[in-house]
Amino acid sequence: MSDLIVGIDLGTTNSVLAVTLEGRIKVIDIHGQPTMPSCVGLDSAGKLIVGNAARNQLIAAPDATVVSIKRKMGEEIRVKLGDKEYSPEEISSFILRELKIEGERQLGQPIKKAVITVPAFFNERQRKATQIAGELAGLEVVRIINEPTAAALAYGAGRTSDETMLVYDLGGGTFDVSVVVVEQGVVEVKASHGDTHLGGDDFDDLLVQRAVREFREKHGVDLSANSAILCRLKVVLERAKCHLSDEPFVSVREEYLDGQHHLEMEISRAEYEEMIALLLEKTLTCIHQSMQDARLIPKDIGKVMLVGGSTRTPIVHRLLHERLQVEPRWEINPDLIVAMGAAIQGAIIAGEKNYSILVDITPHTFGTTTVAVRDGFERLVCAPIIPRNTPLPASKSEVFFTMYDNQDEVKVDARQGESFLPEENSLIGDFLVEGLSPVPAGSPIIIHFDLDLNGMLKVTATEKHTGLAKTVTMDTRGNRALDVDEARRNIASLIGDPAAGVATNGDETADVETEESPEELLASAKDLRKRGEALLTKGLGADDAEEIRKLIHDSAEAIKNRDWAALGGANDTLSDLVFYLED
Ligand code: AMP
């Protein structure tokens, strides 16, 4: 029997656990329901509670309850829970741990490994934080995949017809859009864009602001500094917002909101739609950007798939229909589809064959800081090495040169972002290469970026003349306040289990992959095909051109037949030939 690898959608509002059993995807009920609120709390006895139990006490005990922690992932902050403080990773680990324990109860077997989804637009730090949360929950996180990609994978699973689709994922805290092509069962993401701070929570905040304004105007009482009342308003207005998806008007009445006056408010769907129009416009800008990146126009999009609870808002349908001229639809429950895709990815990693293969991309550009001359002045710029929307895993090198005679060291950094100004891109990490040879300025230094399937980056700098090299895995935990061992002790002291939070994989920076997976083979094949075709357009000798065409053909046949051994062979030969001819 192959390894059990579950899929987890760790959502802002709700989380879902799914698994494939005997070739079928199954969503596991947690506390009797398919989705579990991503809420963590302490009950009156100080005991940890997770899910519905925590959500139910939100109004009564806001200081002992944490919601929407996903929006804080990757930040160096501590959040209060009772009289102690926890990192976002620790809070998220409680959610994951609950899913693990409940899942094990339902399945009657241990759950040790998981694929966890994150918004495509999560940066390196946020991904790493998610991985740590998994480890703290006692899970080996075998892969982090993008939410819209997981959705596309669930949709493309077992399909034979080819199509281009747009996955629009608007949840509680984040927005993502991906352009995805399904071709012969291979799900390929062409481009992704999004905003990690845009979702239903923001819509709720706008409603809360309106209620606070109306209350002040009517009763002369300012509620804006009272966190307990704001929390109560948010819960009530979130419910009202959901009703507005089905009703043209909704009335809200909260008795003795400030202890004296009642809140009475009516909201029409039209008013609400106007309120959120600017935020929705932002999502349309992201769609435009991702279609531009994928070099597509609206008529190329065959299907628009909706994912995430906030896509139930009717105006979302209308806007997308208007702009893309395609009727958007849900073909799979939008609350569950992401976890289902993650479960499929888990099954693929575990070695099951009957599913689509996924080719994912990086939604961000990765580059390094260098000096360039502009208008006669030297200035620092960010040189892209792996451009956004490159298929993963990606491996690219660029050459840079020393600036001074006898320069004996060079500082190398890695940044993520689209700006040419280094300070506008986020720093992932940096290191120093010392002991360079004493040669005149202009000595080449090759910088190599390796971005793995989880979106984690390994950087190598090599002095070309001597081969002197330094490799650093950019582990954002090195820069952070979070001490993982300390976090484990923290968790253990709350839940009273000394083994809690001990991950099953001891070496956290070790590569998960040992041999090339189908995804890696496909990504290499794609890259090699592109380079081979570029060589053909440059004009080669007849024999070389013939050989390249044959190898590209062999590679395409191997992909069609899912023959990974043959694809590996074709890749190796094509790689040697391309390398030789490019030189
Ligand atoms: P997700 O992160 O995908 O679980 O989505 C959660 C978000 O969807 C929350 O902000 C919910 O308020 C919102 N949501 C759920 N149901 C509805 C609905 N019927 N209409 C509008 N928003 C909804």
Side-chain angles (χ1 to χ4, degrees):
M1 198 175 85
S2 57
D3 255 358
L4 177 74
I5 304 179
V6 300
I8 295 179
D9 170 9
L10 180 61
T12 310
T13 318
N14 294 303
S15 294
V16 182
L17 175 74
V19 63
T20 60
L21 291 173
E22 289 157 8
R24 293 178 70 91
I25 310 167
K26 188 169 164 27
V27 172
I28 308 290
D29 276 357
I30 306 292
H31 309 141
Q33 282 177 3
T35 63
M36 180 186 85
S38 304
C39 283
V40 173
L42 295 181
D43 68 10
S44 53
K47 194 170 143 277
L48 182 72
I49 46 176
V50 181
N52 265 319
R55 200 173 114 124
N56 292 343
Q57 69 160 26
L58 178 60
I59 293 179
D63 293 340
T65 316
V66 178
V67 292
S68 298
I69 193 64
K70 184 171 176 179
R71 298 186 86 154
K72 305 275 190 297
M73 288 297 267
E75 291 180 23
E76 288 179 31
I77 54 156
R78 313 280 297 169
V79 289
K80 248 180 114 55
L81 181 61
D83 54 7
K84 282 186 80 176
E85 291 185 339
Y86 295 88
S87 65
E89 289 91 333
E90 287 163 354
I91 298 287
S92 293
S93 83
F94 296 139
I95 298 168
L96 292 169
R97 185 175 161 275
E98 190 68 20
L99 295 175
K100 174 174 151 63
I101 292 172
E102 269 294 302
E104 285 174 342
R105 214 193 324 259
Q106 301 289 333
L107 292 169
Q109 61 174 306
I111 295 175
K112 293 188 175 144
K113 298 183 180 183
V115 170
I116 303 183
T117 59
V118 294
F121 231 58
F122 251 25
N123 63 27
E124 170 84 8
R125 213 165 251 237
Q126 294 163 310
R127 284 165 197 269
K128 199 79 206 177
T130 306
Q131 191 165 23
I132 294 173
E135 288 166 11
L136 291 174
L139 288 166
E140 181 186 343
V141 183
V142 294
R143 187 73 57 82
I144 296 278
I145 64 167
N146 295 332
E147 286 161 11
T149 311
L153 193 56
Y155 180 75
R159 294 244 160 183
T160 47
S161 64
D162 299 347
E163 57 194 348
T164 298
M165 54 190 169
L166 191 120
V167 184
Y168 180 98
D169 181 355
L170 188 61
T174 56
F175 169 68
D176 263 342
V177 57
S178 292
V179 176
V180 179
V181 174
V182 183
E183 219 169 41
Q184 293 173 352
V186 175
V187 180
E188 185 170 1
V189 181
K190 292 287 186 192
S192 269
H193 216 75
D195 189 327
T196 50
H197 286 92
L198 173 58
D201 280 358
D202 301 286
F203 305 165
D204 303 343
D205 287 342
L206 291 173
L207 287 167
V208 170
Q209 283 166 24
R210 174 173 155 177
V212 168
R213 211 171 41 242
E214 282 195 18
F215 203 83
R216 193 187 311 117
E217 282 162 10
K218 230 186 216 163
H219 306 294
V221 179
D222 183 9
L223 305 173
S224 61
N226 188 326
S227 59
I229 293 184
L230 292 179
C231 180
R232 185 170 154 197
L233 275 176
K234 201 166 156 96
V235 171
V236 174
L237 291 169
E238 193 258 350
R239 218 173 295 140
K241 171 190 79 174
C242 294
H243 283 311
L244 278 177
S245 294
D246 303 316
E247 312 287 336
F249 296 95
V250 48
S251 299
V252 178
R253 183 179 158 85
E254 273 297 288
E255 300 205 335
Y256 302 109
L257 187 59
D258 63 341
Q260 289 182 1
H261 310 95
H262 311 317
L263 170 81
E264 275 173 287
M265 166 173 156
E266 188 185 77
I267 317 159
S268 71
R269 187 189 289 164
E271 283 169 321
Y272 170 65
E273 289 179 350
E274 212 181 297
M275 230 181 257
I276 62 169
L278 274 180
L279 293 176
L280 292 180
E281 197 54 45
K282 272 191 181 175
T283 71
L284 297 176
T285 310
C286 291
I287 292 182
H288 181 71
Q289 179 72 56
S290 62
M291 299 230 309
Q292 222 174 24
D293 285 351
R295 297 198 177 80
L296 295 177
I297 54 172
K299 81 170 179 31
D300 297 323
I301 302 290
K303 245 177 209 146
V304 176
M305 269 176 68
L306 298 177
V307 181
S310 297
T311 58
R312 292 203 163 92
T313 314
I315 191 178
V316 169
H317 291 232
R318 274 207 321 277
L319 277 178
L320 291 175
H321 193 182
E322 258 167 47
R323 300 289 168 104
L324 298 167
Q325 300 297 311
V326 180
E327 175 84 49
R329 52 183 160 175
W330 302 295
E331 298 204 355
I332 302 178
N333 184 328
D335 298 325
L336 308 181
I337 185 169
V338 169
M340 291 164 76
I344 293 174
Q345 183 63 47
I348 294 169
I349 296 171
E352 289 194 29
K353 301 249 182 300
N354 297 328
Y355 291 109
S356 310
I357 297 300
L358 173 71
V359 179
D360 211 345
I361 49 122
T362 164
H364 303 282
T365 296
F366 289 85
T368 191
T369 304
T370 183
V371 176
V373 178
R374 288 203 166 200
D375 306 326
F377 294 102
E378 281 181 354
R379 62 157 308 155
L380 291 176
V381 296
C382 199
I385 295 183
I386 299 181
R388 73 164 186 262
N389 298 325
T390 303
L392 293 179
S395 189
K396 296 234 167 16
S397 301
E398 286 293 337
V399 65
F400 298 87
F401 301 92
T402 53
M403 291 186 65
Y404 313 106
D405 292 347
N406 302 323
Q407 184 174 332
D408 63 352
E409 61 179 32
V410 61
K411 187 170 176 192
V412 178
D413 72 4
R415 290 182 181 266
Q416 176 177 280
E418 311 309 318
S419 174
F420 78 93
L421 297 172
E423 62 273 20
E424 287 184 0
N425 294 330
S426 59
L427 178 70
I428 296 168
D430 56 18
F431 61 91
L432 209 57
V433 187
E434 295 167 293
L436 301 180
S437 49
V439 292
S443 167
I445 308 283
I446 296 164
I447 301 199
H448 183 82
F449 276 22
D450 250 322
L451 192 59
D452 75 8
L453 288 162
N454 297 318
M456 312 273 183
L457 185 68
K458 190 161 88 186
V459 179
T460 307
T462 312
E463 186 183 32
K464 188 156 189 281
H465 291 321
T466 60
L468 169 75
K470 182 157 180 180
T471 302
V472 170
T473 298
M474 295 287 178
D475 181 346
T476 49
R477 280 174 293 186
N479 303 333
R480 311 212 32 227
L482 183 74
D483 173 335
V484 174
D485 290 330
E486 168 76 33
R488 288 190 177 134
R489 282 193 295 276
N490 225 1
I491 292 170
S493 82
L494 177 62
I495 60 183
D497 173 4
V502 178
T504 38
N505 58 337
D507 182 358
E508 282 137 7
T509 53
D511 283 345
V512 173
E513 309 297 316
T514 47
E515 59 186 42
E516 276 195 296
S517 62
E519 297 99 313
E520 288 170 311
L521 288 167
L522 280 165
S524 306
K526 195 173 165 193
D527 180 53
L528 287 165
R529 187 178 65 211
K530 231 193 252 165
R531 287 160 61 191
E533 283 166 355
L535 283 168
L536 287 174
T537 62
K538 283 190 187 147
L540 295 171
D543 286 352
D544 288 334
E546 168 82 353
E547 182 66 9
I548 286 195
R549 280 196 200 96
K550 178 182 171 305
L551 287 165
I552 291 177
H553 172 78
D554 290 352
S555 156
E557 282 295 298
I559 294 172
K560 205 160 77 192
N561 300 328
R562 300 277 203 281
D563 185 342
W564 308 125
L567 185 59
N571 279 355
D572 288 346
T573 321
L574 191 52
S575 166
D576 288 347
L577 187 59
V578 164
F579 185 75
Y580 166 75
L581 293 170
E582 280 176 341
D583 228 19

